[in-house]
Amino acid sequence: MDSVGNSDETCDLGYQPSQSSLDQNDQSSSTEATSFSLQSGYSFCRTNSDVSAFSEPTDDNSSTFSETPSPLCWPGMKSPKTPVLSKLVMQQQNPAADDETENEDLELDMMKERFSKLLLGQDMSGSGKGVSTAVAVSNSITNLYASIFGQHLRLEPLHPDKKLMWKREMNCFLSICDHIVEFVPALHDLQDGTAVEVMTSRPRSDISVNLPALRKLDALLLEVLDSFEETEFWYAEQGSMSGKSRSGSFRRIPAPQRKEEKWWLPVPCVPSGGLSEKSRKHLRHKRDCANQIHKAAKALNNSILAEMEIPDSYMASLPKSGRAIVGDAVYRYMCNGEKFTPDLLLNCLNLGSEHEALEFADKIEASMYTWRRKACSMTHSKSSWDLVKDFMSDIDRTDKNHILAERAESLLFCLKQRYPELSQTSLDASKIQHNRDVGKAILESYSRVLEGLAFNVVAWIEDVLFVDKTTRNQDQ
């Protein structure tokens, strides 16, 4: 009775049971059929149809087994085809699908690895000694930029795979900002018409303002690179001939005008007569666009860094005397009544390199906060940075320490204006290292990498224009 009931239920499902399944005594035929189907399982594969549960046989010799389906393939029973056989079928039917699957597996493994490092705070021991979440996200964005654009040293479109990877992973990092909100009061009307005040959430103000601007700058930079798909200039690797079949050695090509010789960068090459006027105009236009993007990204990065909290460790490391930081000569000039001018002081210092300028910027910045702390501590006993911010409006504007702090701030501003390529100061690095705000970490790192990319694009265009100008002057 049970066998009859099972057969009726199977018939209702639209399947015809095989003869071997109805015969309880004939076990050998069922075993042989199952054994054969497992050995030649790659001849049977699941079709793309969602209705049919079986595939058409691809072997003519197996037609006897296609007339009636095997009971192992009935609904509710496990299919005899293993994942290994399924992958073998995919390889035989479409070899390119296997390559795509391997690429997807590699990308998935890479995403898992980076996600695990992000959660562990870059501490692979798992002992909880990693960095904070904000620092981990900042480092991840920086490392992503290095992996995508680290080897991109030419004016040419970014590789499609790298562009896709950059957009996909940046969207993952930026999606964190969708959950960073702030609560604000709002009026809510009840059903009876009564208006009550409730707290509603909205995107945090700094993120809602800065993040769309950074996304726009990112898209504009990629558009600038995409515009150099077909160019009249080309590049020659250092120590070899040009990559393109063009006559002449790169040694005869004028070297780009770079402040520091970077032997690993490719040398731009132009035709013997120079670039055409159309190509030259296109380069100048894209240089101006990249320069504006660089200025905008730098301004955003500076504003975000200015809003970050100053670590207590930095304030604790400052000397008690600002005079000991800047030196006697600079201190006497800054105390020289109304004759203080930042530009004249910088001219007298005669800073010869960016390293010296950065070192002097660290000293001026440290002395500025030292004098501000002393100006506040004259009235209040505690001198932490939180109290310094709270009591800045209460200090005496005629106090000597306050005047010196204001002059140090103006001197630092002029120094950064004179050296626009100046690296981050010790205070900026300390802010990034000790930051705990994930939103600010994302905005700061995103603006920083865009600033670096825009600066590189401007430098590459300047190299091509310099080589073009030198080549035309040599021909004349």
Side-chain angles (χ1 to χ4, degrees):
M1 294 296 291
D2 296 337
S3 61
V4 175
N6 293 334
S7 62
D8 293 340
E9 181 180 356
T10 308
C11 293
D12 293 337
L13 293 173
Y15 300 98
Q16 297 297 329
S18 64
Q19 187 67 24
S20 60
S21 65
L22 295 178
D23 191 357
Q24 299 286 338
N25 299 322
D26 192 2
Q27 300 292 335
S28 61
S29 61
S30 176
T31 305
E32 294 176 357
T34 305
S35 174
F36 181 84
S37 63
L38 288 173
Q39 293 176 359
S40 60
Y42 59 85
S43 297
F44 297 88
C45 61
R46 187 176 296 275
T47 62
N48 294 330
S49 174
D50 296 334
V51 179
S52 175
F54 309 100
S55 62
E56 296 297 331
T58 59
D59 191 357
D60 296 338
N61 297 328
S62 62
S63 60
T64 56
F65 295 92
S66 63
E67 294 177 357
T68 56
S70 173
L72 293 175
C73 297
W74 286 355
M77 302 188 70
K78 187 177 180 180
S79 174
K81 184 165 52 178
T82 61
V84 177
L85 296 178
S86 302
K87 187 172 292 186
L88 179 61
V89 173
M90 293 177 61
Q91 292 177 2
Q92 290 184 351
Q93 289 184 347
N94 188 6
D98 182 63
D99 297 336
E100 296 178 359
T101 305
E102 290 182 357
N103 293 334
E104 291 178 358
D105 292 341
L106 291 176
E107 291 181 0
L108 182 60
D109 292 340
M110 186 184 301
M111 291 291 292
K112 289 180 179 178
E113 180 183 358
R114 294 183 177 180
F115 184 67
S116 62
K117 289 181 179 180
L118 184 64
L119 293 182
L120 291 172
Q122 299 176 350
D123 176 25
M124 299 300 102
S125 65
S127 57
K129 297 180 180 179
V131 297
S132 64
T133 305
V135 179
V137 173
S138 178
N139 293 340
S140 299
I141 294 177
T142 305
N143 295 335
L144 175 63
Y145 168 78
S147 62
I148 297 298
F149 296 97
Q151 300 299 324
H152 191 85
L153 306 174
R154 308 182 180 194
L155 285 175
E156 61 184 10
L158 191 64
H159 193 274
D161 293 341
K162 289 189 174 182
K163 182 187 293 186
L164 180 62
M165 182 179 179
W166 168 255
K167 292 182 178 180
R168 182 179 66 248
E169 297 201 16
M170 279 305 304
N171 287 334
C172 293
F173 290 127
L174 298 180
S175 63
I176 303 175
C177 296
D178 297 337
H179 306 280
I180 301 177
V181 297
E182 60 183 2
F183 292 96
V184 294
L187 294 178
H188 178 70
D189 296 331
L190 301 178
Q191 295 181 354
D192 58 356
T194 305
V196 295
E197 188 177 84
V198 296
M199 299 298 292
T200 59
S201 63
R202 69 178 183 186
R204 212 170 68 180
S205 57
D206 59 335
I207 295 177
S208 60
V209 172
N210 295 324
L211 187 57
L214 292 174
R215 284 183 177 273
K216 182 63 177 178
L217 296 179
D218 188 357
L220 290 176
L221 276 176
L222 294 179
E223 288 180 4
V224 171
L225 291 177
D226 291 339
S227 65
F228 293 101
E229 184 174 3
E230 296 181 0
T231 60
E232 297 180 3
F233 59 89
W234 67 99
Y235 287 90
E237 297 292 344
Q238 290 281 10
S240 64
M241 297 291 290
S242 173
K244 296 184 179 181
S245 58
R246 311 222 181 181
S247 60
S249 171
F250 78 92
R251 299 181 186 278
R252 299 179 182 177
I253 300 171
Q257 188 179 8
R258 296 172 180 149
K259 294 184 178 181
E260 296 181 0
E261 185 61 26
K262 300 180 179 180
W263 56 267
W264 62 88
L265 293 180
V267 178
C269 310
V270 297
S272 58
L275 300 174
S276 63
E277 186 62 30
K278 180 180 179 181
S279 179
R280 202 177 298 115
K281 183 178 180 180
H282 176 261
L283 282 169
R284 293 195 186 105
H285 174 66
K286 294 304 178 182
R287 179 192 58 185
D288 295 339
C289 293
N291 194 23
Q292 293 298 324
I293 295 173
H294 175 258
K295 291 181 179 179
K298 185 177 181 180
L300 288 173
N301 185 261
N302 290 335
S303 63
I304 296 167
L305 283 172
E307 294 176 359
M308 284 187 178
E309 295 290 338
I310 298 179
D312 293 336
S313 58
Y314 178 82
M315 297 297 297
S317 64
L318 295 178
K320 295 182 179 180
S321 173
R323 181 174 184 174
I325 301 176
V326 297
D328 293 337
V330 176
Y331 178 79
R332 285 195 299 267
Y333 187 86
M334 295 181 68
C335 295
N336 191 10
E338 300 296 334
K339 297 181 180 181
F340 171 78
T341 54
D343 292 329
L344 183 59
L345 177 57
L346 292 177
N347 293 334
C348 296
L349 292 175
N350 192 18
L351 301 175
S353 63
E354 287 189 19
H355 178 73
E356 296 179 357
L358 181 61
E359 184 178 359
F360 183 70
D362 289 336
K363 293 180 179 180
I364 290 297
E365 197 168 39
S367 63
M368 177 180 65
Y369 286 103
T370 299
W371 285 321
R372 284 181 178 177
R373 182 178 59 181
K374 292 182 66 175
C376 296
S377 61
M378 296 295 291
T379 308
H380 308 280
S381 58
K382 296 183 179 181
S383 59
S384 65
W385 177 241
D386 293 332
L387 292 178
V388 171
K389 292 190 303 179
D390 295 338
F391 300 131
M392 281 298 294
S393 58
D394 299 335
I395 62 176
D396 186 9
R397 299 294 176 179
T398 60
D399 182 70
K400 179 181 179 180
N401 292 313
H402 174 72
I403 295 175
L404 289 174
E406 292 292 331
R407 292 182 176 182
E409 184 178 6
S410 62
L411 181 60
L412 181 64
F413 178 78
C414 292
L415 181 64
K416 291 183 177 181
Q417 290 290 328
R418 182 169 296 192
Y419 296 91
E421 304 171 10
L422 202 63
S423 303
Q424 290 178 337
T425 61
S426 299
L427 177 59
D428 295 337
S430 180
K431 286 182 177 180
I432 297 173
Q433 181 181 359
H434 295 85
N435 177 44
R436 295 295 182 269
D437 192 318
V438 179
K440 285 185 171 60
I442 294 176
L443 295 177
E444 190 280 327
S445 56
Y446 195 17
S447 60
R448 173 161 39 85
V449 298
L450 292 181
E451 177 187 348
L453 179 59
F455 176 80
N456 290 337
V457 171
V458 173
W460 298 336
I461 297 177
E462 290 286 355
D463 287 347
V464 176
L465 291 175
F466 175 78
V467 172
D468 173 64
K469 180 180 178 180
T470 307
T471 303
R472 287 188 289 109
N473 291 337
Q474 289 178 354
D475 294 341
Q476 293 177 359

